[in-house]
Amino acid sequence: MCAITGVAAVMLALYAHNQREVRRAENAFPPRGSFVTAEGLRLHYVCQGAGQPVVLLHGGILSSCDYAGVLELAAEAGFRAIAFDRPGYGYSERPRRDMATPAVQARLLREALSVLKAERPVLVAHSWSGSLALAYALAYPDEIAGLVLLAPGAYAGDAYPAGTADLLIGRLLRVPWLGGLLANTVLPPLARLLVKPMVTAAFSPDPVPPGYLERARALWSRPGQLRANREDILAYVRTVPQWEPRYADIRTPVVIVVGDADPFHPALQAGRLHREIGHSRLVVLPGTAHMIPDVRPEAVVEAVHMVLKHKQPS
């Protein structure tokens, strides 16, 4: 009985501590954009400029903040740049019951863009969001002007070697009672310990930008964002194989951008995708690793220009 009481006290203390950390994080890094409602969910986005819509979708670490430099450059270039916090990240809400697969997130994005009257956008997607953009292109091919895929995730299996622990945590977090308990007690402190090596590995050999690590440690380890990230991994490996055979059917202009120092299987992801989408263009950035939106924002805007000049295949 004493042991049970002791465990309960520890869990309660962890819960209270994590709630304080969430409040501290959100006070230090508040939302800096606006909100749009899609299927009853509030999605946070940042918008700059006017003109051709360019929609920016981040990967699995942070939020729309990854595109701060791209937003400025794109607005200066005459685009209406819209960077979203994907569902569950930053300050966007996430579906509570249904798994937010890439296809589900594409559907939410489509409704949000309809509300914002952002017609025929160029979708710019980094890392995990490559699967979201590809799902969007397959489901709504006539509603986009093109795709810019930055070090994209497009394939599962050996190309996306999610570890056993990653998948196990994702499954546990899907269990209603247990998932909430883990996300609000033991997992956030562990996540805060893992943020530095994870972020360093994602940027390496590029340096981590000033302030990025502090923001990631504060926001990524919140229970909601932590659950979203783990669920994304699980949803990816469960659903992406279903549409891998259809990538060759994509007819919209596509530009794929990858760094030559990217450690995350670019040959099995970007290289293979380039071969399967025969009309796509592949841009290899020298001396660049995985975090292209943060370290090479000018290359992102150049790729958008390339998409808009690129003829759609017949």
Side-chain angles (χ1 to χ4, degrees), residues 56-70:
L56 308 168
L57 304 167
H58 64 84
I61 294 180
L62 202 45
S63 66
S64 56
C65 296
D66 281 315
Y67 283 103
V70 176

Side-chain angles (χ1 to χ4, degrees), residues 124-144:
V124 178
H126 176 233
S127 194
W128 186 97
S129 284
S131 63
L132 191 169
L134 290 163
Y136 200 113
L138 289 169
Y140 319 112
D142 299 325
E143 298 181 17
I144 55 175

Side-chain angles (χ1 to χ4, degrees), residues 153 155-167 230 233 236-237 263-266 268-269:
Y155 301 95
D158 292 341
Y160 191 81
T164 302
D166 290 317
L167 298 176
R230 297 296 92 183
I233 295 173
Y236 183 103
V237 299
F264 299 123
H265 304 284
L268 299 180
Q269 293 282 359

Side-chain angles (χ1 to χ4, degrees), residues 202-213:
F203 276 92
S204 181
D206 298 309
V208 179
Y212 192 99
L213 189 58

Side-chain angles (χ1 to χ4, degrees), residues 175-263:
V175 179
W177 180 83
L178 179 61
L181 179 66
L182 293 174
N184 285 281
T185 55
V186 298
L187 290 182
L190 293 175
R192 285 189 283 273
L193 292 175
L194 293 173
V195 163
K196 184 174 181 179
M198 179 186 70
V199 169
T200 301
F203 276 92
S204 181
D206 298 309
V208 179
Y212 192 99
L213 189 58
E214 291 75 15
R215 184 183 292 271
R217 184 180 288 114
L219 296 180
W220 187 79
S221 60
R222 292 174 302 162
Q225 186 153 334
L226 188 59
R227 291 182 77 169
N229 177 262
R230 297 296 92 183
E231 184 183 84
D232 274 353
I233 295 173
L234 185 61
Y236 183 103
V237 299
R238 284 184 177 180
T239 62
V240 164
Q242 299 171 18
W243 58 76
E244 287 177 9
R246 297 178 56 202
Y247 292 153
D249 298 334
I250 292 174
R251 310 309 295 165
T252 187
V254 177
V255 173
I256 303 167
V257 184
V258 68
D260 66 355
D262 190 325

Side-chain angles (χ1 to χ4, degrees), residues 9-19 184-186 189 192:
V10 169
M11 299 298 268
L12 184 61
L14 282 171
Y15 176 84
H17 172 70
N18 290 328
Q19 291 303 304
N184 285 281
T185 55
V186 298
R192 285 189 283 273

Side-chain angles (χ1 to χ4, degrees), residues 149 254-258 266 270-271 274 279-284 306:
L149 304 175
V254 177
V255 173
I256 303 167
V257 184
V258 68
H274 171 54
H279 64 275
S280 67
R281 299 184 64 178
L282 179 65
V283 177
V284 180
M306 290 173 63

